[in-house]
C-alpha cells in the first residue's frame, strides 16, 4: 500500500518567538511521511537560524531563504519545491492540535481519494480562551463536483450569504493535491500582502471533482498581537476591487453576478473600508483620501453603486455621491458620521463611569 506524502509549507517572517512551537507541532506528528518546508521570507530576527538548526537535526526539513516578499510570495516559493503528494499550509505562529492529524487525514485519502479536504479551527485568543470554528458543510461524506459548484463556490464568490456552505477562506485548514496545483499552475497572487487566501482556495476548488469536510478541529489559530492581518493598509481598497474583477471574469459565464445581493455585498465592502480607513490614526490621512478618490473614480465601482437599489436613505445618499463623482462629499459624510459616533461613544462611557462610581 502506498501511503500519501504530506508537504507542510510554513511562510516565516520575524517569528522567532513562535516558530519553534510551530515546527515541533509538525515534527511530533505520529504519521511519518511528512516533508516540512520552512520559507524564511527575509527575516531580520533569528527565525532563519532557528530553521537551519532544525533542518540539521531532521532530514524531513527543507529551508528556503529569500528576500522579503510577503506571505503569498513565500508560500509560492514553497510550492515550487513540491513534486508529489499533498500540501498543507501552516502559519509561523500557529500549531496543530492533534498529533494524529495527518494519520487521520491519510485514512480519508486512502478510503475515498478526495481532491480537497477541510477541517475545523481552534481560535485561541490572547487571553487563552478557545472558540471552535467549523463550516456547516456536510461532514464525513464525499461531495461531488456538482455539490462544489452549486454549494461551495457561490458563497466564496460572494454570490450568496449561505454561511452553512462557507468553507472559510483560510488557506491553512485545508489539504490540497500537488498534482492539481501543478497541472493548473495554481498560485497565490504574489504581490499581495493581505487577503491572499480566498482567490487561491477558489482557484483550487474550481478544478476539483470532489471534496471532503472532516468533523475535526486540527488547526490552532493564535491571535497574535500586531499580526499583519490586523494592520490597515491602503492595499485593502485595491484587493477588494481586484477580487471582484477576478471572480466576475473567471466565473461570469457560469454564475449570475448581476444581482442586488452582489451589488450590495461589494458596495458595502468598499464602504466598510472607507470607514475603517478614516478611523485610522497611525496612517497618513492624505494618502487615504487620495486612495479613496482613486478607487471611487473607477468605472467598475461607479457601476456597482449605480446598479444597487438603495435600501435606506443612507445608502441612497452614498450611491448619489459615488455616481455623481462627488468623492469629497462622500469622505466628508463619513467623517461626520464617525465624529457623531465617537461623541455618542464618549457620552456612553461618561455615563457608564458615573454609574460605576455611584454603585461603588
Amino acid at each position: 500500500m502506498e501511503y500519501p506524502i504530506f508537504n507542510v509549507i510554513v511562510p516565516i517572517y520575524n517569528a522567532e518567538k513562535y516558530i519553534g512551537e510551530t515546527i515541533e507541532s509538525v515534527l511530533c506528528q505520529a504519521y511519518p511521511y511528512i516533508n516540512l518546508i520552512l520559507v524564511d521570507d527575509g527575516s531580520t530576527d533569528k527565525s532563519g537560524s532557528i530553521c537551519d538548526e532544525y533542518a540539521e537535526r531532521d532530514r524531513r526539513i527543507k529551508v528556503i531563504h529569500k528576500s522579503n516578499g510577503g506571505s503569498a510570495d513565500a508560500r509560492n516559493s514553497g510550492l515550487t519545491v513540491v513534486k508529489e503528494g499533498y500540501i498543507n499550509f501552516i502559519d509561523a505562529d500557529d500549531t496543530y492540535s492533534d498529533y494524529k492529524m495527518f494519520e487521520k487525514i491519510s485514512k480519508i485519502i486512502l478510503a475515498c481519494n478526495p481532491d480537497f479536504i477541510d477541517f475545523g479551527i481552534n481560535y485561541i485568543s490572547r487571553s487563552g480562551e478557545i472558540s471552535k470554528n467549523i463550516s456547516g458543510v456536510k461532514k464525513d461524506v464525499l461531495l461531488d463536483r456538482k455539490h462544489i459548484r452549486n454549494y461551495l463556490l457561490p458563497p466564496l464568490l460572494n454570490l450568496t450569504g449561505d454561511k452553512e456552505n462557507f468553507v472559510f477562506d483560510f488557506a491553512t485548514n485545508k489539504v490540497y493535491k500537488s498534482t492539481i496545483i501543478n497541472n493548473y499552475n495554481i498560485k497565490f497572487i504574489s504581490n499581495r500582502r493581505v487577503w491572499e487566501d480566498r482567490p487561491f482556495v477558489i482557484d483550487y476548488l474550481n478544478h476539483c471533482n470532489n471534496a471532503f469536510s472532516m468533523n475535526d478541529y486540527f488547526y490552532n489559530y493564535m491571535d497574535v498581537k500586531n499580526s499583519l492581518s490586523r494592520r490597515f493598509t491602503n492595499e485593502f481598497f485595491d484587493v477588494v476591487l481586484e477580487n471582484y474583477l477576478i471572480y466576475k471574469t473567471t466565473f461570469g459565464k457560469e454564475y449570475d453576478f448581476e444581482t442586488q445581493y452582489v451589488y450590495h455585498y461589494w458596495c458595502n465592502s468598499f464602504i466598510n473600508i472607507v470607514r475603517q480607513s478614516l478611523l485610522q490614526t497611525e496612517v497618513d490621512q492624505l494618502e487615504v483620501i487620495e486612495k479613496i478618490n482613486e478607487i471611487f473614480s473607477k468605472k467598475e465601482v461607479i457601476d456597482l453603486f449605480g446598479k444597487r437599489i438603495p435600501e435606506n436613505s443612507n445608502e441612497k445618499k452614498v450611491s448619489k455621491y459615488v455616481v455623481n463623482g462627488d468623492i469629497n462629499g462622500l469622505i466628508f459624510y463619513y467623517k461626520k458620521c464617525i465624529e457623531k459616533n465617537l461623541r455618542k461613544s464618549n457620552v456612553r462611557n461618561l455615563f457608564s463611569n458615573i454609574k460605576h462610581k455611584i454603585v461603588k
Side-chain angles (χ1 to χ4, degrees):
M1 182 183 294
E2 186 174 343
Y3 290 95
I5 297 171
F6 295 98
N7 301 277
V8 180
I9 298 174
V10 190
I12 303 160
Y13 178 71
N14 289 355
E16 62 180 6
K17 294 180 181 179
Y18 319 103
I19 188 58
E21 188 175 357
T22 302
I23 292 172
E24 291 291 348
S25 80
V26 179
L27 298 182
C28 78
Q29 287 288 313
Y31 191 81
Y33 307 109
I34 298 174
N35 296 317
L36 179 55
I37 303 165
L38 305 174
V39 186
D40 171 27
D41 190 37
S43 297
T44 56
D45 65 0
K46 296 179 182 178
S47 296
S49 59
I50 292 172
C51 293
D52 290 335
E53 289 170 9
Y54 271 100
E56 289 176 4
R57 302 200 299 265
D58 197 311
R59 291 163 56 182
R60 295 176 296 172
I61 299 176
K62 179 179 180 58
V63 181
I64 298 173
H65 295 285
K66 59 180 290 297
S67 58
N68 181 254
S71 178
D73 191 56
R75 286 170 173 170
N76 285 340
S77 294
L79 287 173
T80 61
V81 302
V82 177
K83 305 303 179 185
E84 61 177 339
Y86 293 79
I87 294 168
N88 173 248
F89 301 99
I90 184 171
D91 288 339
D93 47 13
D94 297 333
T95 60
Y96 296 133
S97 63
D98 187 342
Y99 76 99
K100 289 189 175 182
M101 165 184 163
F102 286 110
E103 180 180 303
K104 293 176 181 178
I105 294 174
S106 69
K107 291 179 180 178
I108 300 299
I109 291 172
L110 292 172
C112 55
N113 190 29
D115 290 341
F116 174 87
I117 300 171
D118 86 313
F119 42 82
I121 300 170
N122 299 306
Y123 179 87
I124 305 175
S125 70
R126 275 171 259 172
S127 63
E129 295 179 5
I130 300 176
S131 60
K132 292 184 174 293
N133 298 272
I134 198 165
S135 69
V137 178
K138 292 181 180 179
K139 301 300 175 198
D140 299 332
V141 294
L142 191 66
L143 307 171
D144 61 17
R145 181 176 175 82
K146 183 177 179 181
H147 190 97
I148 291 172
R149 309 203 80 77
N150 289 346
Y151 296 100
L152 303 190
L153 277 172
L156 281 170
L157 293 168
N158 304 315
L159 296 170
T160 72
D162 182 4
K163 294 181 180 179
E164 284 299 304
N165 286 294
F166 187 70
V167 296
F168 297 133
D169 52 357
F170 306 114
T172 49
N173 67 319
K174 299 168 179 66
V175 172
Y176 313 86
K177 281 183 176 179
S178 64
T179 51
I180 292 178
I181 288 176
N182 292 333
N183 288 345
Y184 295 99
N185 194 30
I186 300 170
K187 303 288 184 185
F188 291 88
I189 301 174
S190 60
N191 61 343
R192 282 213 187 162
R193 292 179 181 265
V194 295
W195 294 346
E196 66 270 22
D197 286 22
R198 189 184 290 204
F200 178 87
V201 173
I202 288 173
D203 194 8
Y204 183 86
L205 272 173
N206 189 34
H207 299 288
C208 289
N209 288 316
N210 48 50
F212 194 99
S213 187
M214 298 180 69
N215 197 24
D216 297 271
Y217 299 83
F218 289 143
Y219 195 90
N220 289 332
Y221 177 90
M222 314 299 290
D223 183 13
V224 176
K225 189 178 181 180
N226 296 325
S227 168
L228 178 63
S229 62
R230 295 188 175 278
R231 299 176 199 164
F232 177 81
T233 166
N234 280 340
E235 188 181 351
F236 286 126
F237 287 104
D238 297 313
V239 167
V240 170
L241 179 57
E242 186 176 25
N243 279 359
Y244 169 70
L245 295 176
I246 289 172
Y247 303 163
K248 189 173 181 180
T249 300
T250 306
F251 296 94
K253 292 182 180 179
E254 182 175 357
Y255 299 106
D256 184 8
F257 283 78
E258 303 298 323
T259 70
Q260 283 301 311
Y261 180 89
V262 172
Y263 304 147
H264 278 284
Y265 178 89
W266 291 102
C267 288
N268 289 336
S269 295
F270 285 114
I271 291 303
N272 286 336
I273 298 174
V274 169
R275 284 197 293 251
Q276 289 299 315
S277 66
L278 294 175
L279 277 169
Q280 304 300 311
T281 56
E282 67 273 18
V283 297
D284 188 331
Q285 281 294 304
L286 287 178
E287 289 185 6
V288 168
I289 290 171
E290 286 180 6
K291 177 55 70 172
I292 293 173
N293 271 283
E294 176 192 330
I295 289 296
F296 282 86
S297 297
K298 301 280 188 182
K299 179 182 181 301
E300 297 87 355
V301 177
I302 295 171
D303 285 346
L304 282 169
F305 280 88
K307 292 176 180 177
R308 178 177 71 163
I309 299 174
E311 294 181 345
N312 52 55
S313 58
N314 174 61
E315 289 185 357
K316 185 175 182 179
K317 188 177 294 185
V318 169
S319 292
K320 187 175 180 180
Y321 282 132
V322 176
V323 172
N324 291 341
D326 186 7
I327 311 306
N328 289 331
L330 176 74
I331 294 169
F332 180 77
Y333 172 72
Y334 276 106
K335 279 189 171 182
K336 296 296 287 184
C337 290
I338 290 168
E339 290 172 4
K340 184 178 179 180
N341 289 334
L342 287 175
R343 284 197 298 271
K344 285 183 179 179
S345 178
N346 290 335
V347 169
R348 282 196 300 268
N349 291 336
L350 175 62
F351 278 108
S352 177
N353 290 335
I354 291 173
K355 183 179 179 181
H356 175 71
K357 289 179 181 179
I358 292 172
V359 172
K360 188 176 179 181

